[in-house]
Amino acid sequence: MTSTDSAAQKAPAKDPWDLPDVSGLVVGVLGGTGPQGKGLAYRLAKAGQKVIVGSRAAERAEAAAEEIGHGVEGADNAETARRSDIVIVAVPWDGHGKTLESLRAELAGKLVVDCVNPLGFDKKGAYALKPEEGSAAEQAAALLPDSRVAAAFHHLSAVLLQDPAIDEIDTDVMVLGEERADVEIVQALASRIPGMRGVFAGRLRNAHQVESLVANLISVNRRYKAHAGLRVTDV
């Protein structure tokens, strides 16, 4: 066999937009009683995803689930993690490490999607913090050695996510991860929300600058009285 014949028999390159069907997966949202978590839960459930929102207190989660509607259930964080196929981490940065450490067993074997942005605030506005591990997503990967960790959903406006008068969210979602299959699952999940598109943006070592960009978006929003998102051109 010649080298030309060998090249001719190679499988065609995979279409990067050929994404898996994720409609049957259960999505848990840790921090589902906060604005970002509640907004993501609402949008995913409205798109037909089965969603469970988690909180440290089951009662708070159940109240949030009732408010969100669309079949969303509420449970404490541990039960949410156990019952979900994909777990989105939307907790405040100051509780990020402790929350994940306490759920290591429940999150084992799960695809964990971190959307936490480590930020500080002073009189000049928002600024990025750099965790010892490099980023919130890398901290999650370090704390959850038996989970598959990806990063996504950082740049979404909680105001827009929760507004029932808005049918589409005009934005791309940058997705980072170590395994292509996991990244594509998260891309597909993001793309279930009308107006959104999940775009591969590198491995977890590149998560810091993605998380940090939120500080810039906060500045944009304050200056222009907006709820800015991102679009990646030419892809």
Side-chain angles (χ1 to χ4, degrees):
M1 180 182 291
T2 67
S3 59
T4 304
D5 293 334
S6 177
Q9 291 183 8
K10 284 184 179 179
K14 186 179 186 300
D15 181 353
W17 298 112
D18 180 15
L19 300 174
D21 178 8
V22 297
S23 60
L25 299 180
V26 179
V27 178
V29 183
L30 303 182
T33 59
Q36 192 81 357
K38 192 182 293 184
L40 278 169
Y42 167 66
R43 290 292 165 177
L44 290 169
K46 189 178 179 183
Q49 208 75 35
K50 174 60 184 173
V51 177
I52 306 170
V53 293
S55 176
R56 285 178 295 178
E59 296 79 7
R60 288 186 61 207
E62 290 163 0
E66 185 176 355
E67 181 182 345
I68 295 166
H70 297 281
V72 173
E73 295 183 40
D76 64 38
N77 284 332
E79 183 179 350
T80 298
R82 281 193 296 267
R83 294 177 55 194
S84 301
D85 301 303
I86 304 173
V87 179
I88 297 174
V89 182
V91 300
W93 167 240
D94 59 4
H96 181 263
K98 288 183 179 179
T99 298
L100 295 184
E101 194 170 21
S102 71
L103 297 171
R104 182 176 295 172
E106 290 82 0
L107 291 170
K110 309 286 184 177
L111 174 53
V112 177
V113 184
D114 203 298
C115 70
V116 175
N117 303 302
L119 297 176
F121 295 86
D122 60 19
K123 62 183 180 181
K124 294 182 179 180
Y127 60 95
L129 303 175
K130 189 162 187 179
E132 182 179 348
E133 298 84 355
S135 65
E138 289 170 294
Q139 183 183 87
L143 291 172
L144 303 172
D146 299 318
S147 304
R148 295 131 53 210
V149 176
F153 302 115
H154 301 91
H155 307 136
L156 306 181
S157 163
V159 173
L160 297 185
L161 288 173
Q162 294 184 87
D163 189 344
I166 295 175
D167 294 324
E168 296 189 359
I169 307 293
D170 180 23
T171 193
D172 284 334
V173 172
M174 301 180 80
V175 184
L176 303 97
E178 299 302 316
E179 300 295 334
R180 179 164 184 165
D182 292 337
V183 168
E184 290 182 346
I185 288 171
V186 182
Q187 286 182 264
L189 187 66
S191 298
R192 295 211 72 200
I193 300 175
M196 282 192 197
R197 184 179 63 157
V199 178
F200 171 63
R203 294 179 178 269
L204 288 186
R205 68 181 183 179
N206 291 319
H208 171 66
Q209 54 264 38
V210 173
E211 296 168 1
S212 300
L213 189 57
V214 174
N216 302 88
L217 290 177
I218 290 172
S219 296
V220 170
N221 290 336
R222 287 180 173 173
R223 174 63 61 90
Y224 298 102
K225 311 300 182 188
H227 301 291
L230 296 179
R231 278 294 186 198
V232 181
T233 63
D234 201 32
V235 293

